[in-house]
Amino acid sequence: MLLKETFDDNIMKQIYNSDRLKRYSLFIIGVLIQASAFNIFILPSNMSFGVSGISVVLKQLLGLNPAYIILIANLLLLIASLVYLGKEATSKTIAGALLYPLLIEATIFLPSVIDLGDTEPVIVALSGAVLYGFGTGLVFKAGYTTGGTDVLKQIISQYGKKSLGQATIYIEGFIVTACLFVFGWQAFIYSIISLYIISTLTDKVILGISKYKTFQIITEKEKEVKHFILNGLHHGVTILDSKGGFTGEKKKILLCTIPTKQYFILKEGIMQIDKKAFFIVTDTYEVRGGE
């Protein structure tokens, strides 16, 4: 068992150690864009979603600094992640969870520099959603996350036996409902629209045009790749028999479907295990049954 865990850990380390400069750059730029969008567009529009939304509500009710609220919430959620999701899942969240509130505080001056004047509120809200979604996509593309309510969604999904979609509805539904009572219908509607735009832009424009990717993999290192998918990414694998059309050689095809957010990790993991592996990736629009 220990050897298997070491194998998966080594693959993960190789993935995250490859092309570090590019990934770190994407990550930092992405978080900076998120923080800027929060200060320039989201906070002035009173849009409330995620941990950022909680900070917007508490600023209105108690006058608290949003950056401090987000930092404290993220620290508590990191502890929860460590307890319920484990060290590996938490390690990918730490940097973003700490950097995001720090950059919010660092960019707090931007609204005084970028004066939106009499810009229509709906334009401000939509612009904020697009910019924030773009930044989120860059963060995910780099293989990181800024933590926040994503941690709660994973915990509810894993221990409450709910899909991530259902967990998202519960958590974000609670936050936008609080927004309705504190700020009224306009901010409530803008928050719901923004959530959709951010999700769509992140998943479809930055990471692909679907929420899931299906891999078909042919490799000489079938056992290693299968083990990485099952134990490193915790997703199922179906093994299909195949036969080469030209050579007539019999081979196995590993078939698996993963969330688009894990596309980068699986792609790089396959290449780390077998650089000569042949695989096809297709967009998948709906997944039902199985686990």
Side-chain angles (χ1 to χ4, degrees), residues 202-272:
T202 299
D203 289 339
K204 296 185 179 181
V205 178
I206 304 299
L207 298 172
I209 62 173
S210 63
K211 291 185 177 181
Y212 300 93
K213 301 289 187 188
T214 293
F215 279 72
Q216 297 179 63
I217 310 158
I218 298 177
T219 173
E220 296 296 329
K221 298 184 177 180
E222 173 197 330
K223 290 183 179 179
E224 290 89 340
V225 173
K226 181 179 71 173
H227 185 275
F228 177 66
I229 296 170
L230 290 172
N231 298 281
L233 299 180
H234 307 292
H235 289 291
V237 183
T238 299
I239 301 176
L240 307 175
D241 291 320
S242 67
K243 183 178 181 181
F246 179 74
T247 63
E249 184 179 357
K250 292 184 178 180
K251 289 185 177 291
K252 300 289 186 181
I253 296 177
L254 303 181
L255 177 71
C256 71
T257 299
I258 62 168
T260 298
K261 293 177 183 179
Q262 291 185 318
Y263 161 76
F264 165 82
I265 297 176
L266 180 52
K267 182 191 76 170
E268 292 298 317
I270 294 169
M271 298 308 296
Q272 291 291 342

Side-chain angles (χ1 to χ4, degrees), residues 4-43:
K4 291 181 179 179
E5 290 179 354
T6 301
F7 172 78
D8 293 326
D9 291 341
N10 287 337
I11 295 299
M12 287 294 188
K13 286 178 182 178
Q14 290 176 40
I15 292 172
Y16 281 93
N17 286 335
S18 63
D19 207 358
R20 283 187 179 184
L21 181 59
K22 179 180 177 182
R23 291 198 314 103
Y24 290 164
S25 298
L26 282 177
F27 166 63
I28 294 172
I29 292 171
V31 179
L32 180 60
I33 290 173
Q34 286 180 308
S36 301
F38 176 82
N39 279 317
I40 299 171
F41 301 104
I42 294 172
L43 186 58

Side-chain angles (χ1 to χ4, degrees), residues 66-269:
Y68 296 163
I69 295 299
I70 294 171
L71 179 60
I72 292 170
N74 278 350
L75 288 174
L76 293 174
L77 288 168
L78 282 174
I79 294 172
S81 176
L82 189 61
V83 172
Y84 292 103
L85 301 177
K87 183 178 178 182
E88 182 182 327
T90 306
S91 65
K92 304 182 187 71
T93 305
I94 294 175
L98 298 179
L99 184 61
Y100 178 54
L102 292 177
L103 288 181
I104 285 179
E105 184 67 18
T107 57
I108 199 170
F109 68 93
L110 287 178
S112 62
V113 176
I114 304 174
D115 185 8
L116 298 176
D118 297 327
T119 306
E120 289 290 332
V122 66
I123 300 300
V124 175
L126 294 178
S127 298
V130 170
L131 194 62
Y132 194 92
F134 182 78
T136 302
L138 291 181
V139 172
F140 285 151
K141 194 168 186 178
Y144 291 92
T145 172
T146 52
T149 53
D150 282 346
V151 173
L152 282 179
K153 293 169 191 174
Q154 292 178 57
I155 292 174
I156 291 175
S157 176
Q158 184 170 327
Y159 291 92
K161 304 301 181 184
K162 305 292 183 182
S163 69
L164 278 175
Q166 289 174 314
T168 299
I169 291 172
Y170 296 149
I171 294 172
E172 298 298 350
F174 172 79
I175 295 171
V176 296
T177 300
C179 171
L180 170 62
F181 285 108
V182 175
F183 298 112
W185 283 101
Q186 179 172 291
F188 173 76
I189 293 170
Y190 287 168
S191 296
I192 292 176
I193 294 172
S194 296
L195 272 171
Y196 176 77
I197 292 173
I198 290 168
S199 175
T200 300
L201 189 61
T202 299
D203 289 339
K204 296 185 179 181
V205 178
I206 304 299
L207 298 172
I209 62 173
S210 63
K211 291 185 177 181
Y212 300 93
K213 301 289 187 188
T214 293
F215 279 72
Q216 297 179 63
I217 310 158
I218 298 177
T219 173
E220 296 296 329
K221 298 184 177 180
E222 173 197 330
K223 290 183 179 179
E224 290 89 340
V225 173
K226 181 179 71 173
H227 185 275
F228 177 66
I229 296 170
L230 290 172
N231 298 281
L233 299 180
H234 307 292
H235 289 291
V237 183
T238 299
I239 301 176
L240 307 175
D241 291 320
S242 67
K243 183 178 181 181
F246 179 74
T247 63
E249 184 179 357
K250 292 184 178 180
K251 289 185 177 291
K252 300 289 186 181
I253 296 177
L254 303 181
L255 177 71
C256 71
T257 299
I258 62 168
T260 298
K261 293 177 183 179
Q262 291 185 318
Y263 161 76
F264 165 82
I265 297 176
L266 180 52
K267 182 191 76 170
E268 292 298 317

